[in-house]
Amino acid sequence: IITFKVYDPVSDRIVISTNQITFQSQQVIGYPSSPFVVEAMFQNWEPEFITICYGDSFAWDKSGKTYTESGVYTTIYDNAQATLHLTVLPEVPTTTEYATICHGETYTWNGQTYSTEGEYSVTLQNALGCDSIVTLHLTVNQTKHAEEHITACDSYTWNGQTYTQSGDYIYTTTAANGCDSIVTLHL
């Protein structure tokens, strides 16, 4: 069986002819007075413009193939040339955020509240509709506690304050890590 393809230079398309002949040795088909006419029907397949995210794929029904890279692809479909213009958006970089809190505090990130040190990730859609992974590294600094035991006669001056009675006194300051440093005086 012999099939024919017809090229239309105006639309820059190729179609398969509806004519077919069976090959026979020494057979002559068509004469100037009675030519063999090759018929072709050009359908108007509009080019398809598709955009996908990095890492995704597109299954094109006209070719039966799956594509993962940007490009212009053509195929013959239903006796006409079909064209796919595929754009693969660039990979969205992973974003990392860092936060530090003190023991006993909480940190709200992306609608969730955290109080434990760790790494937390969330997948969001960016403005182009592609997934974007954002990771939070949360550090929890500890509060420092110390005690002093002092015995004194009449009075005792501690951190700029003079005490004249026995008891427990608390002094709070900020440590180098930014968290409270609590010292208890047992006088």
Short mmCIF file of all heavy atoms in Angstrom, two decimals, residues 51-81:
data_model
loop_
_atom_site.label_atom_id
_atom_site.label_comp_id
_atom_site.label_asym_id
_atom_site.label_seq_id
_atom_site.Cartn_x
_atom_site.Cartn_y
_atom_site.Cartn_z
N THR A 51 1.89 25.79 29.24
CA THR A 51 2.94 26.11 30.21
C THR A 51 2.80 25.17 31.40
O THR A 51 1.69 25.01 31.93
CB THR A 51 2.83 27.57 30.68
OG1 THR A 51 2.92 28.43 29.54
CG2 THR A 51 3.92 27.93 31.68
N ILE A 52 3.92 24.55 31.81
CA ILE A 52 3.92 23.66 32.96
C ILE A 52 5.04 24.06 33.91
O ILE A 52 5.95 24.80 33.53
CB ILE A 52 4.05 22.17 32.56
CG1 ILE A 52 5.38 21.90 31.85
CG2 ILE A 52 2.87 21.72 31.73
CD1 ILE A 52 5.65 20.43 31.55
N CYS A 53 4.97 23.56 35.12
CA CYS A 53 5.99 23.85 36.13
C CYS A 53 7.16 22.89 35.97
O CYS A 53 7.01 21.77 35.48
CB CYS A 53 5.41 23.70 37.53
SG CYS A 53 4.06 24.86 37.87
N TYR A 54 8.33 23.33 36.42
CA TYR A 54 9.53 22.50 36.41
C TYR A 54 9.24 21.21 37.18
O TYR A 54 8.65 21.24 38.25
CB TYR A 54 10.69 23.25 37.06
CG TYR A 54 11.95 22.43 37.16
CD1 TYR A 54 12.83 22.36 36.09
CD2 TYR A 54 12.25 21.71 38.31
CE1 TYR A 54 13.98 21.61 36.16
CE2 TYR A 54 13.41 20.95 38.39
CZ TYR A 54 14.26 20.90 37.32
OH TYR A 54 15.40 20.14 37.40
N GLY A 55 9.63 20.09 36.61
CA GLY A 55 9.41 18.79 37.25
C GLY A 55 8.10 18.14 36.86
O GLY A 55 7.88 16.97 37.14
N ASP A 56 7.19 18.89 36.22
CA ASP A 56 5.93 18.33 35.75
C ASP A 56 6.11 17.82 34.32
O ASP A 56 7.12 18.05 33.68
CB ASP A 56 4.81 19.37 35.80
CG ASP A 56 4.39 19.73 37.22
OD1 ASP A 56 4.77 18.99 38.15
OD2 ASP A 56 3.70 20.74 37.38
N SER A 57 5.09 17.15 33.83
CA SER A 57 5.11 16.67 32.45
C SER A 57 3.75 16.96 31.81
O SER A 57 2.77 17.20 32.50
CB SER A 57 5.40 15.17 32.40
OG SER A 57 4.40 14.46 33.09
N PHE A 58 3.73 16.95 30.48
CA PHE A 58 2.50 17.19 29.74
C PHE A 58 2.30 16.06 28.75
O PHE A 58 3.15 15.79 27.90
CB PHE A 58 2.55 18.53 29.00
CG PHE A 58 1.32 18.81 28.19
CD1 PHE A 58 0.13 19.14 28.82
CD2 PHE A 58 1.33 18.71 26.82
CE1 PHE A 58 -1.02 19.37 28.08
CE2 PHE A 58 0.20 18.95 26.06
CZ PHE A 58 -0.99 19.28 26.70
N ALA A 59 1.17 15.37 28.86
CA ALA A 59 0.82 14.29 27.94
C ALA A 59 -0.04 14.90 26.83
O ALA A 59 -1.16 15.32 27.07
CB ALA A 59 0.06 13.19 28.67
N TRP A 60 0.52 14.94 25.63
CA TRP A 60 -0.17 15.55 24.49
C TRP A 60 -0.99 14.48 23.80
O TRP A 60 -0.46 13.51 23.25
CB TRP A 60 0.85 16.17 23.55
CG TRP A 60 0.27 17.08 22.52
CD1 TRP A 60 -0.89 17.80 22.59
CD2 TRP A 60 0.83 17.40 21.25
NE1 TRP A 60 -1.08 18.54 21.47
CE2 TRP A 60 -0.04 18.31 20.61
CE3 TRP A 60 1.98 17.00 20.58
CZ2 TRP A 60 0.21 18.83 19.35
CZ3 TRP A 60 2.23 17.53 19.33
CH2 TRP A 60 1.36 18.43 18.72
N ASP A 61 -2.30 14.65 23.81
CA ASP A 61 -3.20 13.64 23.24
C ASP A 61 -3.03 13.48 21.73
O ASP A 61 -3.26 12.40 21.19
CB ASP A 61 -4.65 13.98 23.58
CG ASP A 61 -5.11 15.33 23.04
OD1 ASP A 61 -4.26 16.16 22.67
OD2 ASP A 61 -6.34 15.55 23.00
N LYS A 62 -2.57 14.49 21.03
CA LYS A 62 -2.45 14.39 19.57
C LYS A 62 -1.25 13.54 19.14
O LYS A 62 -1.26 12.95 18.07
CB LYS A 62 -2.38 15.78 18.96
CG LYS A 62 -3.73 16.50 19.04
CD LYS A 62 -3.68 17.85 18.39
CE LYS A 62 -5.01 18.53 18.36
NZ LYS A 62 -5.63 18.74 19.64
N SER A 63 -0.20 13.50 19.98
CA SER A 63 0.96 12.68 19.60
C SER A 63 1.03 11.39 20.41
O SER A 63 1.75 10.47 20.03
CB SER A 63 2.25 13.47 19.83
OG SER A 63 2.49 13.63 21.23
N GLY A 64 0.32 11.37 21.53
CA GLY A 64 0.39 10.20 22.40
C GLY A 64 1.68 10.15 23.20
O GLY A 64 2.00 9.15 23.82
N LYS A 65 2.44 11.24 23.20
CA LYS A 65 3.71 11.30 23.92
C LYS A 65 3.61 12.25 25.11
O LYS A 65 2.75 13.12 25.15
CB LYS A 65 4.83 11.77 22.98
CG LYS A 65 5.12 10.81 21.85
CD LYS A 65 6.24 11.36 20.98
CE LYS A 65 6.50 10.42 19.81
NZ LYS A 65 7.51 10.98 18.90
N THR A 66 4.54 12.06 26.04
CA THR A 66 4.62 12.92 27.21
C THR A 66 5.90 13.74 27.12
O THR A 66 6.97 13.20 26.83
CB THR A 66 4.62 12.07 28.51
OG1 THR A 66 3.38 11.33 28.54
CG2 THR A 66 4.71 12.95 29.74
N TYR A 67 5.78 15.05 27.37
CA TYR A 67 6.91 15.97 27.23
C TYR A 67 7.25 16.60 28.57
O TYR A 67 6.36 16.91 29.37
CB TYR A 67 6.57 17.06 26.21
CG TYR A 67 6.23 16.50 24.85
CD1 TYR A 67 4.92 16.23 24.50
CD2 TYR A 67 7.23 16.23 23.93
CE1 TYR A 67 4.61 15.70 23.25
CE2 TYR A 67 6.93 15.71 22.68
CZ TYR A 67 5.61 15.44 22.34
OH TYR A 67 5.31 14.91 21.12
N THR A 68 8.57 16.80 28.80
CA THR A 68 9.04 17.40 30.05
C THR A 68 9.97 18.59 29.80
O THR A 68 10.43 19.20 30.76
CB THR A 68 9.79 16.37 30.91
OG1 THR A 68 10.90 15.86 30.14
CG2 THR A 68 8.89 15.23 31.33
N GLU A 69 10.25 18.91 28.56
CA GLU A 69 11.17 20.00 28.23
C GLU A 69 10.50 21.00 27.31
O GLU A 69 9.67 20.64 26.47
CB GLU A 69 12.43 19.45 27.56
CG GLU A 69 13.25 18.55 28.46
CD GLU A 69 14.52 18.05 27.78
OE1 GLU A 69 14.84 18.52 26.68
OE2 GLU A 69 15.17 17.18 28.37
N SER A 70 10.89 22.26 27.45
CA SER A 70 10.36 23.31 26.58
C SER A 70 10.72 23.01 25.14
O SER A 70 11.77 22.46 24.85
CB SER A 70 10.95 24.67 26.97
OG SER A 70 10.51 25.07 28.24
N GLY A 71 9.82 23.36 24.22
CA GLY A 71 10.09 23.17 22.81
C GLY A 71 8.84 23.29 21.97
O GLY A 71 7.73 23.46 22.49
N VAL A 72 9.03 23.21 20.66
CA VAL A 72 7.93 23.20 19.70
C VAL A 72 7.89 21.81 19.11
O VAL A 72 8.87 21.33 18.54
CB VAL A 72 8.11 24.27 18.61
CG1 VAL A 72 6.97 24.21 17.60
CG2 VAL A 72 8.22 25.67 19.23
N TYR A 73 6.76 21.14 19.26
CA TYR A 73 6.60 19.76 18.81
C TYR A 73 5.48 19.71 17.78
O TYR A 73 4.48 20.39 17.91
CB TYR A 73 6.27 18.85 19.99
CG TYR A 73 7.29 18.92 21.10
CD1 TYR A 73 7.12 19.75 22.21
CD2 TYR A 73 8.46 18.17 21.03
CE1 TYR A 73 8.07 19.82 23.22
CE2 TYR A 73 9.42 18.23 22.03
CZ TYR A 73 9.21 19.05 23.13
OH TYR A 73 10.15 19.11 24.12
N THR A 74 5.69 18.89 16.72
CA THR A 74 4.66 18.74 15.70
C THR A 74 4.36 17.26 15.50
O THR A 74 5.21 16.39 15.76
CB THR A 74 5.10 19.35 14.36
OG1 THR A 74 6.30 18.71 13.94
CG2 THR A 74 5.31 20.84 14.47
N THR A 75 3.16 16.99 15.05
CA THR A 75 2.75 15.63 14.75
C THR A 75 1.61 15.69 13.74
O THR A 75 0.97 16.73 13.57
CB THR A 75 2.31 14.88 16.03
OG1 THR A 75 2.13 13.50 15.72
CG2 THR A 75 1.01 15.43 16.59
N ILE A 76 1.39 14.59 13.06
CA ILE A 76 0.24 14.48 12.17
C ILE A 76 -0.89 13.86 13.00
O ILE A 76 -0.74 12.79 13.58
CB ILE A 76 0.55 13.60 10.95
CG1 ILE A 76 1.73 14.17 10.16
CG2 ILE A 76 -0.69 13.46 10.08
CD1 ILE A 76 1.50 15.55 9.60
N TYR A 77 -2.00 14.57 13.08
CA TYR A 77 -3.13 14.11 13.87
C TYR A 77 -4.40 14.34 13.06
O TYR A 77 -4.65 15.45 12.60
CB TYR A 77 -3.20 14.87 15.20
CG TYR A 77 -4.37 14.48 16.06
CD1 TYR A 77 -4.37 13.28 16.75
CD2 TYR A 77 -5.47 15.31 16.17
CE1 TYR A 77 -5.44 12.91 17.54
CE2 TYR A 77 -6.54 14.95 16.96
CZ TYR A 77 -6.52 13.75 17.64
OH TYR A 77 -7.59 13.39 18.42
N ASP A 78 -5.15 13.29 12.90
CA ASP A 78 -6.43 13.37 12.18
C ASP A 78 -6.23 14.04 10.81
O ASP A 78 -6.94 14.96 10.43
CB ASP A 78 -7.46 14.11 13.03
CG ASP A 78 -8.87 13.81 12.58
OD1 ASP A 78 -9.09 12.81 11.86
OD2 ASP A 78 -9.78 14.58 12.94
N ASN A 79 -5.20 13.57 10.11
CA ASN A 79 -4.89 14.01 8.76
C ASN A 79 -4.49 15.49 8.66
O ASN A 79 -4.71 16.13 7.65
CB ASN A 79 -6.05 13.72 7.80
CG ASN A 79 -5.54 13.54 6.39
OD1 ASN A 79 -4.42 13.11 6.18
ND2 ASN A 79 -6.37 13.89 5.42
N ALA A 80 -3.92 16.02 9.74
CA ALA A 80 -3.43 17.39 9.69
C ALA A 80 -2.25 17.52 10.65
O ALA A 80 -2.08 16.71 11.55
CB ALA A 80 -4.53 18.37 10.09
N GLN A 81 -1.47 18.54 10.40
CA GLN A 81 -0.33 18.76 11.29
C GLN A 81 -0.78 19.54 12.51
O GLN A 81 -1.44 20.57 12.40
CB GLN A 81 0.76 19.53 10.55
CG GLN A 81 1.99 19.78 11.41
CD GLN A 81 3.12 20.37 10.61
OE1 GLN A 81 3.49 19.82 9.58
NE2 GLN A 81 3.64 21.49 11.06
#
